[in-house]
Structures are given as C-alpha cells and as structure tokens.
Amino acid sequence: MKEIVKLGVALMLICAVSAGVLAFTNSKTSVIIEERIRQERIELLQELFPSVETTEDKEAEGRTATFGYDSTGKAAGFLAEGKTSGYGGDIRFNLAFDNEGTLVSLTIVSHSETAGLGAKITEDWYREQYIGKTLGDSFDVDNISGATITSNAMESGIAKEMEE
C-alpha cells in the first residue's frame, strides 16, 4: 500500500511540474506567435495595397481588423481576421478589402482540416472564387468534393465576416 501511495505522489509531482513547464512555455510563445501573425497581416496589407504607409489595428468583439492608410491619411484598404468551425476544428482566415468593400484577398492562417480533402481550402483555385465579391453578392462557388462541411463552413464564415 505504501508503494502505491509513493508512486501516486511521484506521478502527481511529475504531472504538476510538466503542467507548470507547459503553462510557462505557452505564456512566453503565445505573445510571439500573435505578434508574428500581426506582422504577417501588415505585410500582406502592404503587398496588396502598395500605397500603404501606416497601419492601425482596431478590435471589435474579439476580432482584429488592420486598416492601411496612404501618405495622405486616406484609407487604402483593410484586412479583417475571421474564424469559423470546420470539420476538423477552427479555421482562421484573413479577408482583405479595398476601400470600396470589394474582397481582394482570402488567406488561410490556420486550420485542422483533413489533408487532401478539407485542406484544399488553402489552394489558389478555391480561394480565388471569393475574390471580387462584395457584401451583396451571393457566393456561387464550387464546393470541395468530399469536404462539404469545410466548404459550407468557409462560405458561412466569410459571409458572416463580410456582414460585420
């Protein structure tokens, strides 16, 4: 009996130390990861809108939009971050709009969709179907065969982000 208690206490200590190390590592790396994602948003915004000289992040309802302004202070476009639930989990994406509200870019930031099926949302042919759409447009896009849940999630997620 003493041996079982000893092993249980040892296991508890190992688990506590492991959890502490993981929590510490997460607290240090999550800040770095979020800053990297922010920097990628700015670089994408400057790539899509070469006139962008300054940027500003605005946050609403837990989501961030990055606005790009030219040298005169006029808005050139903005990049909105979106999230939807796909088949394998959350899909994070960025939508870039020009100052007239037309979608000019869709990039997938992260996903957990099935390789070879739902992961096709990262392919150019799929993402380019959304380019040029505005708020009032219907999404008449080709779904990914075998990945209906992922396709529907992307359509509804993009539509939701465009409305907000």
Side-chain angles (χ1 to χ4, degrees):
M1 185 67 165
K2 285 183 181 181
E3 187 66 26
I4 292 174
V5 171
K6 228 192 248 187
L7 290 173
V9 169
L11 183 59
M12 182 181 71
L13 288 172
I14 290 170
C15 290
V17 169
S18 297
V21 168
L22 285 173
F24 176 76
T25 303
N26 183 56
S27 71
K28 295 297 181 189
T29 59
S30 63
V31 173
I32 295 168
I33 292 169
E34 287 304 316
E35 180 57 31
R36 181 190 55 81
I37 290 171
R38 181 184 172 287
Q39 199 58 37
E40 286 176 358
R41 280 196 320 262
I42 291 171
E43 288 171 8
L44 178 60
L45 197 58
Q46 291 172 330
E47 180 184 319
L48 294 168
F49 307 106
S51 64
V52 169
E53 290 193 10
T54 60
T55 62
E56 177 185 17
D57 286 345
K58 294 183 181 180
E59 205 165 312
E61 298 178 20
R63 293 189 318 268
T64 304
T66 304
F67 289 81
Y69 302 96
D70 63 17
S71 60
T72 64
K74 182 182 174 199
F78 70 96
L79 193 70
E81 111 185 343
K83 184 168 85 170
T84 188
S85 295
Y87 179 76
D90 286 341
I91 302 170
R92 289 180 62 183
F93 55 91
N94 286 326
L95 300 170
F97 296 92
D98 62 17
N99 57 3
E100 295 172 9
T102 302
L103 183 64
V104 296
S105 175
L106 165 63
T107 56
I108 307 300
V109 176
S110 64
H111 70 86
S112 302
E113 301 306 289
T114 307
L117 292 173
K120 290 183 180 181
I121 59 174
T122 62
E123 294 179 7
D124 290 342
W125 70 268
Y126 180 77
R127 292 180 299 109
E128 288 171 355
Q129 297 179 89
Y130 293 95
I131 306 304
K133 303 287 185 185
T134 60
L135 178 59
D137 293 344
S138 66
F139 291 135
D140 186 22
V141 297
D142 293 333
N143 283 337
I144 300 168
S145 180
T148 307
I149 294 171
T150 303
S151 298
N152 291 339
M154 283 302 298
E155 284 182 41
S156 64
I158 292 169
K160 178 183 164 211
E161 293 305 320
M162 288 181 81
E163 289 173 4
E164 296 177 1

